[in-house]
């Protein structure tokens, strides 16, 4: 069964379909607004643990099976450390040093890493459009993550690059977001192994609980004043990121993914940074440089090409087949005419010989 977007003709159905990506993008903005008055690891754990409990409760109510074998718990634990602890930890720490819209673009570039990992582990076909998307993605991420003076230097404008820029580069939030994207990509690959032993929705809830516990442990040791400066509106923002940006968004995502084509559905992922950029500009007055906007555009195009590579390749194949069929008919007609002409000429030339 494939997920066909044309089947969602009702406006309400379309809104529900794009809801996970809207919730992920706006949750990024909500987290960015709270981070000045809390700590990154506490906020990351706050987003994971309660959301995981909500998903487990929903799974129990809906009758989904719980993990029962040691293989299931082993894969869930690995899934939780990579996609929970590392991903949310890098994400929260990166938000301290980057904007919500830019951070969302970096996070949603993870299909680039997923494509390479899938090619390596599962020999999945990337194709021409996929490789083009990867090339555009690398270019776009470079424009987003590298300092502007590096880009000007590369283009020959004469801007100098100092050694200090290297230190600023590796301490920047963009690189932490890249590490978060890589963690999420590895987690996306791991889910293939997790679902061999347990239900994907139940595994999602438990991996959020397992991944959130180390974050709160790190916060209790390394951080202080985690919630003392939070006001009522900021607690509401945290609640929004937890309930809507984690529990509901992931629940809807796995609901649609389990009943249709994940490739077709995941092509909507490029909407997430668009929502984050829009609401980051409206609510937080965030501004990107011209070079970063170019990088954002290239990254979004690359994500679309990678997720739609099979459809684009299929359209080209159909066009080539139709062109071949239309060109074969004139060629056959022309060949038949030539054969008739040759026969006629032979008959006319033989008549004088028989009469003579």
């Amino acid at each position: 069964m494939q997920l066909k977007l044309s089947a969602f003709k009702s406006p309400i159905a379309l809104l529900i379909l794009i809801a996970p990506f809207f919730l992920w993008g706006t949750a990024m903005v909500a987290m960015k607004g709270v981070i000045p008055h809390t700590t990154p690891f506490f906020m990351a754990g706050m987003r994971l643990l309660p959301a995981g409990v909500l998903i487990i409760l929903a799974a129990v109510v809906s009758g989904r099976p719980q993990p029962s074998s040691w293989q299931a718990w082993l894969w869930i634990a690995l899934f939780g450390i990579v996609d929970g602890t590392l991903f949310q930890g890098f994400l929260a720490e990166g938000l301290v040093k980057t904007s919500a819209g830019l951070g969302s673009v970096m996070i949603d570039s993870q299909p680039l890493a997923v494509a390479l990992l899938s090619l390596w582990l599962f020999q999945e076909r990337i194709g021409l459009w996929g490789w083009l998307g990867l090339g555009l993605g690398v270019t776009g991420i470079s424009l987003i993550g590298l300092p502007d003076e590096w880009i000007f230097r590369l283009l020959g404008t004469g801007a100098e690059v100092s050694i200090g820029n290297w230190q600023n580069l590796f301490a920047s939030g963009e690189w932490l977001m890249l590490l978060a994207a890589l963690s999420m990509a590895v987690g996306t690959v791991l889910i293939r192994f997790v679902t061999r032993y347990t239900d994907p929705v139940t595994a999602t809830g438990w991996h959020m609980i397992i991944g959130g516990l180390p974050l709160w442990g790190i916060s209790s040791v390394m951080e202080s004043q985690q919630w003392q400066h939070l006001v009522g509106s900021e607690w509401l923002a945290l609640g929004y990121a937890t309930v809507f940006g984690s529990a509901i968004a992931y629940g809807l995502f796995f609901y649609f993914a389990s009943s249709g084509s994940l490739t077709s559905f995941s092509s909507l992922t490029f909407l997430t940074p668009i929502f984050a950029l829009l609401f980051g500009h409206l609510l937080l007055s965030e501004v990107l440089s011209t070079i970063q906007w170019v990088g954002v555009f290239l990254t979004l195009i690359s994500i679309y090409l990678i997720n739609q590579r099979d459809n684009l390749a299929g359209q080209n194949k159909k066009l080539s087949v139709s062109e071949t069929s239309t060109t074969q008919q004139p060629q056959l007609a022309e060949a038949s005419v030539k054969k008739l002409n040759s026969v006629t000429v032979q008959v006319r030339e033989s008549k004088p010989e028989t009469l003579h």
Side-chain angles (χ1 to χ4, degrees):
M1 177 180 177
Q2 290 185 348
L3 179 68
K4 296 182 179 180
L5 301 183
S6 59
F8 293 86
K9 297 180 180 180
S10 170
I12 297 179
L14 286 174
L15 289 176
I16 296 176
L17 184 65
I18 66 174
F21 312 100
F22 170 83
L23 294 174
W24 282 335
T26 52
M28 188 77 68
V29 179
M31 292 170 64
K32 181 63 178 179
V34 173
I35 196 64
H37 299 139
T38 185
T39 55
F41 291 108
F42 171 78
M43 183 177 64
M46 188 67 189
R47 185 177 180 183
L48 280 181
L49 272 168
V53 172
L54 290 176
I55 293 177
I56 293 299
L57 291 177
V60 171
V61 172
S62 60
R64 291 184 175 272
Q66 295 293 318
S68 57
S69 64
W70 66 268
Q71 295 98 328
W73 284 111
L74 180 62
W75 281 110
I76 290 174
L78 181 61
F79 183 36
I81 296 298
V82 174
D83 191 68
T85 305
L86 295 180
F87 168 55
Q88 291 294 337
F90 287 133
L91 171 62
E93 191 70 25
L95 275 177
V96 179
K97 303 175 182 179
T98 188
S99 65
L102 181 56
S104 179
V105 172
M106 304 296 287
I107 290 299
D108 287 286
S109 66
Q110 57 91 17
L112 305 175
V114 170
L116 291 175
L117 289 172
S118 298
L119 175 64
W120 176 46
L121 293 175
F122 309 117
Q123 290 75 48
E124 291 188 0
R125 178 180 175 273
I126 295 180
L128 174 62
W129 292 105
W131 285 116
L132 178 61
L134 288 173
L136 288 177
V138 171
T139 304
I141 292 174
S142 299
L143 294 179
I144 293 172
L146 296 177
D148 287 358
E149 58 268 22
W150 285 33
I151 306 299
F152 292 137
R153 177 73 173 183
L154 183 63
L155 296 176
T157 58
E160 295 183 357
V161 180
S162 62
I163 297 178
N165 288 334
W166 284 95
Q167 299 175 351
N168 294 332
L169 174 66
F170 289 102
S172 66
E174 286 80 4
W175 284 99
L176 290 172
M177 289 298 187
L178 283 179
L179 292 174
L182 181 60
S183 300
M184 184 178 180
V186 175
T188 303
V189 173
L190 285 176
I191 195 65
R192 275 191 158 188
F193 301 96
V194 174
T195 53
R196 295 177 182 178
Y197 302 98
T198 187
D199 177 74
V201 176
T202 305
T204 300
W206 282 114
H207 107 281
M208 296 175 86
I209 295 175
I210 295 174
L213 288 173
L215 292 171
W216 270 0
I218 295 174
S219 175
S220 64
V221 175
M222 300 180 57
E223 299 175 341
S224 60
Q225 302 293 314
Q226 291 94 330
W227 61 83
Q228 283 79 359
H229 302 290
L230 293 175
V231 297
S233 60
E234 292 168 338
W235 279 110
L236 289 176
L238 268 180
Y240 176 84
T242 300
V243 177
F244 292 91
S246 292
I248 296 179
Y250 279 103
L252 288 175
F253 180 84
F254 280 108
Y255 171 77
F256 287 118
S258 62
S259 60
S261 171
L262 183 58
T263 301
S264 300
F265 181 58
S266 62
S267 65
L268 296 175
T269 306
F270 76 98
L271 293 174
T272 304
I274 294 179
F275 287 129
L277 289 170
L278 175 62
F279 285 91
H281 174 73
L282 294 177
L283 301 179
L284 304 179
S285 301
E286 296 177 349
V287 179
L288 299 180
S289 68
T290 303
I291 291 180
Q292 287 176 323
W293 273 115
V294 174
V296 167
F297 177 76
L298 292 178
T299 303
L300 295 180
I301 294 297
S302 72
I303 295 171
Y304 175 80
L305 290 178
I306 292 171
N307 283 280
Q308 291 292 319
R309 63 189 185 276
D310 292 334
N311 294 334
L312 294 172
Q315 291 176 1
N316 291 340
K317 187 178 295 184
K318 290 181 180 179
L319 289 175
S320 62
V321 170
S322 61
E323 289 176 358
T324 303
S325 61
T326 54
T327 56
Q328 283 178 348
Q329 295 179 354
Q331 291 175 356
L332 291 174
E334 184 178 357
S336 61
V337 171
K338 288 182 179 180
K339 289 181 179 179
L340 290 175
N341 290 338
S342 62
V343 172
T344 304
V345 172
Q346 292 175 0
V347 172
R348 288 179 180 178
E349 289 179 355
S350 62
K351 284 182 180 181
E353 295 180 359
T354 55
L355 291 175
H356 186 75

